[in-house]
Amino acid sequence: GSSPLLPYVTEQYWDSGNHGSSTMSKNVTQNVADPRPGSAGSTAAELNSQFVGLGTLGKFAAGNLFVGKYLGTVGTNGVIGFGKPFDFTYRPRQLKFWYKGTVGTVDYSGGGVNKGDSDAAQVYICLCEMDGPHVVDTRKSDTFFNPASKTVTYCSGALNKDSTNDRTDGKIIAYAEWINTTPETSEWTEVTVELHYNEEYEGTVPNYLMLTASASKYGDYFTGSTASIMYLDDVELVY
């Protein structure tokens, strides 16, 4: 499709904030014919942070891509279900991906981040034990997620824009987070991050994968730089 532009054809696994930004005729995440050198694919993902709106009516939106489902738009806010079931037959030890992009200076502030600060690109992964996605409602900061936490709330009820996160506690078995503040990475660069396994859950097999990329780390606070853009390609788990 074109509005919203979707990161899948039939089977939905990845999603983006395009469902919300397309209400203002913009897609914050697009496919571009610029794969990393040596890739078997023909396109890469372009995550482009930008102001979405008309005049002063609208909000800053981070370019983003995530495993999960965009559940609905409420006014200028989004409700997102992060994570999908995943068969962890083996134990991954690394997350690997290819990146290039620009990290700009914050021109939309909030969440303790001020104008003039550096924006930050972010990719994080969590291997979880839970029975539904972690639901974030951008109207409610208490639903926001800390990937370094050892627990995660999830919603096992009806999933739509009116869903309430029933706050059932799940476990974060392992996680890894990559944060980049380098202003310019002009060439495709391979990035490898090590997964950290929480010792208290040793032996627990995860059943849910959360994986999120954002050109602006604090996009859930509608904070970041309109100059920030992330190119992402060939994301893989290493065992």
Side-chain angles (χ1 to χ4, degrees), residues 160-226:
N160 53 56
K161 68 180 181 180
D162 299 317
S163 295
T164 55
N165 192 342
D166 57 23
R167 306 299 178 93
T168 303
D169 283 335
K171 300 174 182 177
I172 297 178
I173 310 303
Y175 76 95
E177 183 179 24
W178 174 80
I179 297 174
N180 177 53
T181 56
T182 302
E184 190 71 34
T185 305
S186 58
E187 301 294 331
W188 280 109
T189 303
E190 188 177 42
V191 178
T192 302
V193 289
E194 301 286 333
L195 270 78
H196 168 78
Y197 280 80
N198 291 318
E199 293 181 356
E200 55 265 57
Y201 302 138
E202 181 67 31
T204 302
V205 179
N207 62 349
Y208 246 76
L209 172 67
M210 292 176 65
L211 178 55
T212 298
S214 178
S216 298
K217 181 181 188 302
Y218 297 100
D220 43 4
Y221 291 96
F222 305 102
T223 294
S225 171
T226 52

Side-chain angles (χ1 to χ4, degrees), residues 50-167:
Q50 56 193 283
F51 178 81
V52 176
L54 297 172
T56 58
L57 180 62
K59 283 186 175 179
F60 173 84
N64 62 86
L65 188 65
F66 56 87
V67 169
K69 185 175 182 180
Y70 189 97
L71 300 176
T73 303
V74 183
T76 57
N77 290 275
V79 182
I80 301 100
F82 288 101
K84 285 278 189 174
F86 193 89
D87 184 10
F88 288 101
T89 306
Y90 302 99
R91 179 170 168 152
R93 57 188 176 84
Q94 295 173 331
L95 174 71
K96 185 179 291 187
F97 56 90
W98 288 77
Y99 163 85
K100 68 177 180 177
T102 300
V103 176
T105 300
V106 170
D107 49 2
Y108 285 88
S109 60
V113 179
N114 300 313
K115 288 185 179 180
D117 291 347
S118 174
D119 202 356
Q122 179 194 43
V123 176
Y124 74 78
I125 179 174
C126 290
L127 281 51
C128 305
E129 182 192 56
M130 56 188 188
D131 295 319
H134 174 70
V135 176
V136 168
D137 184 333
T138 60
R139 296 170 295 176
K140 304 173 183 178
S141 61
D142 63 341
T143 66
F144 295 173
F145 177 64
N146 176 9
S149 174
K150 294 183 179 181
T151 60
V152 56
T153 57
Y154 65 86
C155 179
S156 57
L159 293 175
N160 53 56
K161 68 180 181 180
D162 299 317
S163 295
T164 55
N165 192 342
D166 57 23
R167 306 299 178 93

